[in-house]
């Protein structure tokens, strides 16, 4: 009991401490006010911007920003796709693996570019070291993209110029001054605990009983830190954070959880610093209360030791899973099959909502969408014009928010139905279809649409249908909402919010409770029937 | 559509240069400089951990401390069956599972059961310490335990670590 309580408190307190400082830093990036060590930082950034040919002061409209974001992400996707196809002839291929199939290359490239990291392969079996190192590029740029979009979103609220910042400058600053330095520190900490960092692909040794063993190994520490801190979640090894080389002990287990929560929790703090502390606290409260309640619900279900690692067991596994899936990281340190039906339900709900806390930047913007929908609905009920941060919400913004919300169920439910109708679920899981089989298929598309990355199917789903279907869902689930949310931000950016109290205030307890309630209600209305016939039965 | 197309083409032209250059700069930084810097730090500061925590036994490398081995001898501690955990390769078992194996090891090697128990407890304490007491449940590392046994009682384990 003391053990569990200490783990929980340590994770929450440290994640909030880190989020507080990161939130302060994000605020500086949003407002452009001098950062700590500004002279030093700009001295590093200036030559980098010169090489890139970027004028960081040239601010973009939301359309320009979105187009730059999409161009960069397309490049990243094409790069990973080509590397995976060609890994057989590229250097650093100690185990001599051939290039992957085109559909697996498409799936993996889209998966990493969209910050999902759904994996239909096991890294140690199917990827060369060169491919593993190449995936570092999406693992930095994908979270960098979402953080940049989140920054631009908040920046758009108080401005009236119609300009929301320079995407290339935002991305570069996020990678250079947040993701890289923190990842280096976390990697060194993980490394000290036994996470390997070598360019050898295989460790060949004897054994106690005279047999010989070949153990896959590699630059795991540099992978693992950005995997968690950037909410990527894809494993260097197929076993992900259950593998002792990715997560050797209880200390690294909590370290990984703390760092994956840090940036997502920093966003409401940054928002509060820019637009009023009360508003930030309201969002933070919704996130934390939802997270605690769902974790409590999952804990009630218990769990089975089969499928869990002895060094984490029930609580350490559940805390990791809940945080990782809540923050749309998708890393796992136990088999999802080992979870109770309550815990599985809780993970589904986290991925349906996508915003408690959700991935860095993306989760925060999704929460604003819920806030806009809440203000609109409450406005209808009490008969007041809905305003957000002192700006009237336009009918177009409400429409865009509704579409953003509806994209998610559409991307989950229609592909799941197609997969059943055309026998693709039965093709990999056999017939007859059980409630558990249905749960696994629903989970796969939910995880893809939420850009989460955790899954039941794993290498079983390495078929052309599953690779292409989930690949497309990941792409749409990533860029359609980001585009719609930047469009909403673009409209705010021309009006110059003064942050004055709205007719329906967006700070304080009444709004917090309403937002919390409606977030759950809307998700329940969209998804409850589909949970009832899946994880509820199990 | 006809109105839309020229503006898209213009945007692509405008973004090609900065996107490519930004991509290239970040790619060099994160796929070369970053892992290589950590490689340097790791190989200097934590060479053992960086290379897979290899166990040395009678001058021979006998596997990684962190990766379970398929032990069949009744004279050694056995890990969990590999399909019972999530990774399938973890060398950790619960303390009860270690205590339960003591009589077997005692009867096959004649090493004092109380002493074997002491070794188990020593390993348990070391793991507790590295997890600051509360960060993980109690567990025993079978590899470390077996290494300890073989090195302390070479006469009881002829042919091991060969």
């Amino acid at each position: 009991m003391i053990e569990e309580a200490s783990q929980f408190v340590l994770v929450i307190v440290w994640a909030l401490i880190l989020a507080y400082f990161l939130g302060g830093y994000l605020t500086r990036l949003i407002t452009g006010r001098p950062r700590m060590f500004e002279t030093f930082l700009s001295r590093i950034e200036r030559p980098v911007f010169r090489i890139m040919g970027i004028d960081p002061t040239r601010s973009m409209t939301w359309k320009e920003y979105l187009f730059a974001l999409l161009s960069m992400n397309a490049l990243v996707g094409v790069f990973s796709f080509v590397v995976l196809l060609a890994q057989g002839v590229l250097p650093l291929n100690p185990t001599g693996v051939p290039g992957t199939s085109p559909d697996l290359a498409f799936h993996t490239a889209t998966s990493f570019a969209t910050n999902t990291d759904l994996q239909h392969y096991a890294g140690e079996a199917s990827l060369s070291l060169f491919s593993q190192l190449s995936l570092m590029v999406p693992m930095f740029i994908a979270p960098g993209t979402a953080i940049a979009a989140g920054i631009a979103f908040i920046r758009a609220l108080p401005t009236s110029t119609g300009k929301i910042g320079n995407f290339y400058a935002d991305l570069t600053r996020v990678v250079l001054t947040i993701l890289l330095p923190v990842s280096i520190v976390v990697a060194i900490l993980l490394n000290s605990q036994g996470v390997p960092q070598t360019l050898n692909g295989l460790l060949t040794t004897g054994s106690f009983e005279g047999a010989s063993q070949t153990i896959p190994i590699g630059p795991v520490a540099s992978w693992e830190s950005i995997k968690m801190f950037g909410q990527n979640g894809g494993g260097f090894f197929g076993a992900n954070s259950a593998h002792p080389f990715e997560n050797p002990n209880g200390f690294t287990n909590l370290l990984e959880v703390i760092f994956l929560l840090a940036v997502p929790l920093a966003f409401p703090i940054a928002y509060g610093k820019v637009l009023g502390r009360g508003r930030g606290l309201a969002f933070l409260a919704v996130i934390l209360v939802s997270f605690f309640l769902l974790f409590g619900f999952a804990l009630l279900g218990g769990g089975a030791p089969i499928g869990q690692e002895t060094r984490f067991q029930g609580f350490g596994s559940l805390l990791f899973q809940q945080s990782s899936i809540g923050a749309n990281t998708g890393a796992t340190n136990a088999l999802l099959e080992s979870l109770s039906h309550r815990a599985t339900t809780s993970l589904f709900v986290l991925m349906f909502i996508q915003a408690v806390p959700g991935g860095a930047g993306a989760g925060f913007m999704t929460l604003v969408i819920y806030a806009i929908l809440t203000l609109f609905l409450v406005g209808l009920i009490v008969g007041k014009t809905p305003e957000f941060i002192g700006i009237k919400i336009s009918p177009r913004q409400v429409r865009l928010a509704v579409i953003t919300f509806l994209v998610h169920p559409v991307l989950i439910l229609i592909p799941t139905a197609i997969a059943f109708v055309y026998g693709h679920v039965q093709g990999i899981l056999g017939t007859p279809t059980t409630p558990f089989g249905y749960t696994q298929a629903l989970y796969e598309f939910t995880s893809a649409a939420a850009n989460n990355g955790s899954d039941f199917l794993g290498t079983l789903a390495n078929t052309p249908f599953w690779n292409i279907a989930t690949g497309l869902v990941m792409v749409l689930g990533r860029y359609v909402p980001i585009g719609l949310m930047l469009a909403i931000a673009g409209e705010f950016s021309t009006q110059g919010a003064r942050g004055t109290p709205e007719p329906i205030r967006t700070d304080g307890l009444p709004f917090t409770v309403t937002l919390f309630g409606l977030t759950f209600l809307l998700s329940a209305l969209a998804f409850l029937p589909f949970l009832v016939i899946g994880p509820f039965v199990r | 559509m006809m109105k839309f197309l020229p503006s898209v083409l213009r945007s692509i032209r405008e973004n090609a240069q900065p996107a490519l250059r930004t991509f290239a700069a970040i790619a060099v930084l994160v796929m070369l400089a970053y892992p290589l810097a950590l490689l340097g730090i790791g190989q200097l500061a934590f060479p053992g951990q960086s290379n897979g925590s290899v166990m040395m036994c009678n001058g021979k490398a006998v596997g990684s401390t962190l990766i379970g081995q398929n032990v069949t001898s009744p004279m050694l501690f056995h890990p969990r069956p590999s399909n019972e955990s999530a990774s399938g390769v973890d060398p950790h078992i619960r303390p009860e599972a270690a205590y339960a194996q003591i009589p077997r090891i005692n009867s096959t090697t004649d090493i004092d059961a109380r002493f074997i128990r002491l070794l188990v407890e020593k390993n348990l304490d070391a793991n507790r310490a590295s997890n600051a007491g509360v960060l993980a449940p109690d567990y025993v590392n079978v590899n470390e335990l077996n290494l300890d046994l073989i090195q302390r009682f070479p006469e009881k384990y002829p042919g091991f670590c060969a």
Side-chain angles (χ1 to χ4, degrees):
Chain A
M1 194 56 211
I2 291 171
E3 192 181 290
E4 280 90 356
S6 329
Q7 291 180 21
F8 187 76
V9 170
L10 275 170
V11 162
I12 299 301
V13 168
W14 273 105
L16 285 173
I17 290 173
L18 288 172
Y20 180 78
F21 287 106
L22 283 165
Y25 185 77
L26 287 177
T27 310
R28 301 292 162 126
L29 287 187
I30 292 164
T31 58
R33 281 204 301 271
R35 299 162 283 181
M36 215 191 278
F37 314 116
E38 180 62 48
T39 342
F40 170 73
L41 289 174
S42 42
R43 198 168 295 157
I44 295 177
E45 288 168 358
R46 216 171 298 130
V48 177
F49 286 138
R50 201 173 309 132
I51 296 169
M52 294 173 174
I54 287 165
D55 174 8
T57 58
R58 197 190 82 80
S59 200
M60 301 171 167
T61 64
W62 75 266
K63 279 185 190 164
E64 292 172 324
Y65 200 95
L66 176 63
F67 208 91
L69 183 154
L70 293 175
S71 315
M72 174 60 68
N73 279 255
L75 272 180
V76 171
V78 170
F79 169 75
S80 313
F81 180 72
V82 172
V83 167
L84 290 167
L85 276 185
Q87 65 175 358
V89 295
L90 289 170
L92 281 177
N93 188 359
T95 47
V97 290
T100 66
S101 67
D103 53 290
L104 181 63
F106 169 75
H107 182 266
T108 307
T110 50
S111 181
F112 277 79
T114 56
N115 208 354
T116 313
D117 296 34
L118 197 57
Q119 291 168 301
H120 291 168
Y121 67 91
E124 65 271 37
S126 306
L127 292 201
S128 71
L129 279 189
F130 189 86
S131 295
Q132 300 267 41
L133 286 175
S134 302
L135 288 176
M136 297 272 91
V137 178
M139 287 173 83
F140 276 91
I141 293 186
T145 295
I147 295 171
I151 287 174
F153 190 95
I154 299 178
R155 194 186 279 140
L157 301 177
T159 192
S160 60
T161 59
K163 301 288 178 75
I164 64 172
N166 185 305
F167 172 73
Y168 299 109
D170 284 344
L171 174 70
T172 307
R173 288 199 167 113
V174 168
V175 170
L176 218 59
T177 63
I178 301 178
L179 296 178
L180 253 182
V182 177
S183 295
I184 289 173
V185 173
V186 175
I188 293 172
L189 287 173
L190 290 170
N191 194 190
S192 75
Q193 299 297 305
V195 179
Q197 183 70 8
T198 163
L199 286 183
N200 290 329
L202 285 175
L203 174 65
T204 310
T205 76
S207 79
F208 293 126
E209 298 182 325
S212 83
Q213 331 178 44
T214 47
I215 301 170
I217 192 170
V220 189
S222 54
W223 173 288
E224 197 68 18
S225 57
I226 187 61
K227 165 187 152 189
M228 308 314 284
F229 189 56
Q231 292 90 47
N232 288 293
F236 190 94
F237 302 102
N240 211 305
S241 283
H243 198 291
F245 277 163
E246 290 203 28
N247 191 1
N249 57 38
F251 171 69
T252 58
N253 197 44
L254 295 199
L255 190 75
E256 293 186 5
V257 173
I258 289 166
F259 275 89
L260 76 86
L261 287 172
V263 190
L265 291 178
F267 263 91
I269 293 171
Y271 165 76
K273 285 191 189 238
V274 177
L275 287 145
R277 178 186 288 194
R279 293 192 172 94
L281 279 178
F283 278 7
L284 192 61
V286 169
I287 291 170
L288 291 178
V289 170
S290 312
F291 185 81
F292 292 161
L293 282 179
L294 286 167
F295 186 53
F297 181 72
L299 273 179
L300 288 177
I306 303 286
Q308 292 175 351
E309 298 285 288
T310 309
R311 65 193 183 285
F312 310 134
Q313 290 169 28
F315 192 84
S317 302
L318 212 51
L319 180 60
F320 189 102
Q321 246 70 257
Q322 182 86 17
S323 312
S324 159
I325 283 142
N328 264 340
T329 305
T332 51
N333 72 349
L335 294 180
L336 293 181
E337 286 87 335
S338 74
L339 299 176
S340 67
H341 68 280
R342 286 191 192 205
T344 312
T345 304
S346 158
L347 300 188
F348 267 110
V349 174
L350 286 165
M351 291 193 292
F352 291 152
I353 296 178
Q354 301 193 82
V356 288
F364 169 77
M365 290 191 284
T366 312
L367 196 54
V368 175
I369 297 294
Y370 287 113
I372 290 174
L373 294 174
T374 301
L375 289 168
F376 174 67
L377 291 171
V378 174
L380 285 182
I381 296 165
V382 301
K384 283 184 179 170
T385 317
E387 286 187 18
F388 179 60
I389 45 152
I391 305 178
K392 281 198 178 61
I393 300 172
S394 73
R396 177 170 170 270
Q397 283 176 316
V398 174
R399 265 200 306 276
L400 292 175
V402 170
I403 298 170
T404 312
F405 173 76
L406 286 178
V407 163
H408 198 47
V410 166
L411 284 178
I412 294 168
L413 302 176
I414 292 178
T416 305
I418 292 174
F420 272 106
V421 170
Y422 291 96
H424 294 291
V425 180
Q426 299 88 326
I428 56 172
L429 296 177
T431 44
T433 297
T434 59
F436 180 51
Y438 162 79
T439 299
Q440 290 174 283
L442 181 72
Y443 196 100
E444 185 80 9
F445 282 110
T446 307
S447 174
N451 299 133
N452 188 284
S454 55
D455 68 335
F456 284 91
L457 301 178
T459 53
L460 269 184
N462 184 17
T463 69
F465 170 81
W466 286 98
N467 284 336
I468 293 168
T470 51
L472 291 174
V473 168
M474 288 188 280
V475 169
L476 295 172
R478 176 71 160 180
Y479 302 111
V480 172
I482 285 186
L484 292 167
M485 293 187 285
L486 285 180
I488 292 172
E491 201 163 308
F492 282 126
S493 75
T494 58
Q495 310 190 23
R498 287 181 307 280
T500 46
E502 305 92 336
I504 303 158
R505 296 178 63 114
T506 56
D507 54 6
L509 197 60
F511 177 72
T512 308
V513 174
T514 319
L515 176 61
F516 166 81
L518 268 171
T519 302
F520 275 81
L521 183 68
L522 288 172
S523 298
L525 287 174
F527 293 106
L528 196 63
F530 306 94
L531 284 181
V532 169
I533 56 173
F536 280 20
V537 179
R538 209 191 137 209
Chain B
M1 194 66 206
M2 279 301 118
K3 217 180 79 194
F4 190 57
L5 200 62
S7 74
V8 168
L9 287 175
R10 199 181 58 241
S11 296
I12 291 177
R13 220 174 24 246
E14 276 171 6
N15 276 287
Q17 273 275 354
L20 268 171
R21 287 189 183 187
T22 307
F23 172 81
I26 292 178
V28 169
L29 206 60
V30 302
M31 81 173 268
L32 292 176
Y34 163 70
L36 290 180
L38 285 170
L39 184 74
I41 295 170
Q43 294 291 336
L44 283 175
F46 315 107
Q49 293 93 316
S50 293
N51 295 311
S53 310
V54 173
M55 296 180 282
M56 298 305 286
C57 174
N58 303 339
K60 273 200 140 59
V62 291
S64 164
T65 332
L66 289 169
I67 304 295
Q69 346 190 329
N70 184 23
V71 175
T72 51
S73 164
M75 297 157 75
L76 292 175
F77 282 97
H78 296 178
R80 258 168 118 182
S82 73
N83 57 5
E84 280 194 3
S85 73
S87 65
V89 296
D90 54 325
H92 310 105
I93 56 174
R94 286 172 186 253
E96 310 87 78
Y99 293 138
Q101 299 188 47
I102 294 178
R104 187 191 73 228
I105 294 165
N106 163 258
S107 69
T108 49
T109 60
D110 230 19
I111 301 170
D112 188 340
R114 280 168 306 177
F115 189 76
I116 304 175
R117 195 180 166 93
L118 269 179
L119 293 184
V120 172
E121 279 163 1
K122 185 173 80 102
N123 189 267
L124 197 59
D125 286 341
N127 293 334
R128 258 186 216 147
S130 63
N131 288 313
V134 293
L135 305 185
D138 280 343
Y139 60 84
V140 171
N141 184 320
V142 169
N143 284 342
E144 289 168 354
L145 214 46
N146 286 337
L147 183 67
D148 211 4
L149 277 174
I150 296 170
Q151 287 188 324
R152 278 172 196 270
F153 302 98
E155 73 286 355
K156 304 272 187 192
Y157 291 94
F160 285 84
C161 296

